[in-house]
Amino acid sequence: MNREWYKDTAFYQIWPRSFKDGNGDGIGDLWGVYEKLEYIRSLGVGGIWFSPLYVSPNADFGYDISDYCAINPEYGDLEIFDKVLQKAHALGLKVVMDLVINHTSIEHEWFQKSRRGIEPYTDYYIWRAAKPGGGKPNNWQGIFESECWRWDDVAGKYYLHLFSSGQPDLNMDNPLVRAEVERIMRFWLDRGVDGFREDVITFISKTEGLPDDGFVIGLRGMKFYESGPRIHEYLQQYRRILEQYPDRFVVGEAPMMTPRKALEFVAGDKRDLDMMFHFQHMEADCFLIEYLRMPFNLRKLKRAFSNWQKALSGKGWNALYLENHDHPRIISRYGSEKYRVQSGKMLACALLFQQGTPFLYQGQEIGMTNIALPKIEDYADCVAQDVYKRCKRMHLPDKAAMALIRPATRDSSRTPVQWSAEANGGFTKGKPWFYVNQNYPEINVAAAEADPDSLLHFYRKLLRFRAGNDVIRNGSYHEYEKHSGRLYVYTREYNGQGILVVCSFTEKPAEFRLPKRLQGKAMTLEFSNYPVTDGPEFTARPYEARVYTYETRKRAKK
Ligand code: GLC
């Protein structure tokens, strides 16, 4: 059995609500997924990660779960889930589920019983009395809302919610809660799923006493739960469940993670996680979160890429991504909508020759872009709504509030996938639950299929090249032109073979000269996003990317 199959494959992430509507109600669902499994397979990926499919009141679109062992009726039922699973497996696709255990929905039965003092649920959540005089239990800040404590009249206490008030944090220190998590994991593993993506998993252990925080840059309170005191103990407990099933795997989401700390989670045989989603490379145009915007800074991006490549090399394994349901579209951020296809291909090259397991997000493969809607009511994400409220509290005019929200909101990655030039981008025959990006007549899967030069076909070629390529899987990583604000250049080398990747992150011309040690070598061009007649030294055109292969050893004289 190949216990590390995940090192030789790539994943495709489905955010089910916007993937494909199969029953005409305007909401993406598992019938839609069933129809599109061959398409997913055709990309050259070997697995799917499903964002939550479970029953949820949708305060945070599935990340607030009210029943972990049933499918949201909007998306289908266990019967169609099993069919999807079976067909995916038959096509050679692994299936990974989202495991959201830092919090539940307030509508979960556990919470409903907990707030009423019904045993054994009373201690399932983090309840605290008001401070004398009625104050909040501590001074922590919320991640989604400014407050992270909500008063509950039924319980007569506050509950902790790091995310929205509809997402009360579970008390992971309670062994009964952890037994529930084990039960949920077994439920899905017994059904045949191949692993989990564990949501904000590094936040599940909170420091005893939930102490007040001092002055911090960032969020007050976070240091008391980010990689908290019992995190490894809990992750090991869940890992042991996974180990009882052959070939299973787990990727954890880890906001605020640094490469050095990551090794405590992903290195060695007894690792907690096989890999993690960190955020450092997603902060090149903002300060910590997309709402605190800054000009795009290529050096910051390169630093994040290189630090993670180097730190984990030979010790752990990277999860590679540029898009998911939590970030605006990458072309609109690090690339250029004007040079949409070129910059999309360039970004693919920047990422896909790195070591790790790539995760592609629905729509990324056709180069979908951000939306810009007039009013706050047009947006659906709870974070956008909360930011708007905060702006209003600060008496910011509407125009300024919307200017802040538009480029940053997660809604941009949550518009329906554009399948064709038909009405609603072919996503639904009904009324789509959310705005369809009006560029769908131009940007859609059918058009990309028909164009041999499309981003879609480019992704396919890169993924095919990657599969089984030992240089990408095992090679060393070396960055060049570190100080360049225009070019990202790196090599990978293994066993006599080398790959050189040159990516321009600008519209402006960028001069590329071969690093000394590569000069005079025979360089074979493998990929480019423009017609090429020169090289390997060249002046890069807007967002140009080139990938060359070479031999690292000197050729023997003939
Ligand atoms: C993770 C999810 C995000 C969700 C949050 C709270 O960051 O990816 O979508 O809102 O956790 O569950």
Side-chain angles (χ1 to χ4, degrees), residues 60 63 100 103 144 163 167 197 199-200 253 325-326 410 414:
D60 188 18
Y63 285 89
V100 187
H103 43 263
F144 278 5
F163 294 88
Q167 295 167 295
R197 174 265 188 189
D199 188 63
V200 290
E253 187 200 23
H325 64 294
D326 288 333
R410 306 190 294 182
R414 299 174 175 190

Side-chain angles (χ1 to χ4, degrees), residues 339 342-343 345-347 349 486-488 501-508 510 525 527-534 538-548:
Y339 296 98
Q342 285 96 337
S343 67
K345 289 178 180 175
M346 182 280 290
L347 288 161
C349 291
R486 298 188 177 182
L487 292 176
Y488 173 44
V501 183
V502 184
C503 294
S504 165
F505 276 76
T506 172
E507 238 184 273
K508 301 190 188 115
L525 183 70
F527 297 99
S528 59
N529 55 355
Y530 283 93
V532 170
T533 52
D534 58 353
F538 60 100
T539 304
R541 288 159 279 186
Y543 298 93
E544 181 159 1
R546 295 193 194 180
V547 179
Y548 290 95

Side-chain angles (χ1 to χ4, degrees), residues 275-308:
M275 58 185 95
M276 52 186 19
F277 292 125
H278 70 87
F279 285 61
Q280 291 193 321
H281 65 300
M282 300 310 289
E283 296 165 6
D285 61 354
C286 58
F287 179 70
L288 298 177
I289 57 165
E290 274 97 359
Y291 282 91
L292 300 172
R293 298 198 69 74
M294 316 261 273
F296 173 69
N297 181 337
L298 178 61
R299 292 185 194 94
K300 202 171 162 194
L301 177 68
K302 297 197 291 187
R303 221 161 29 238
F305 278 157
S306 295
N307 286 347
W308 281 84

Side-chain angles (χ1 to χ4, degrees), residues 261-281:
K261 198 162 18 135
L263 290 173
E264 294 169 20
F265 292 84
V266 299
D269 287 342
K270 285 212 147 319
R271 58 185 175 269
D272 301 329
L273 305 165
D274 295 310
M275 58 185 95
M276 52 186 19
F277 292 125
H278 70 87
F279 285 61
Q280 291 193 321
H281 65 300

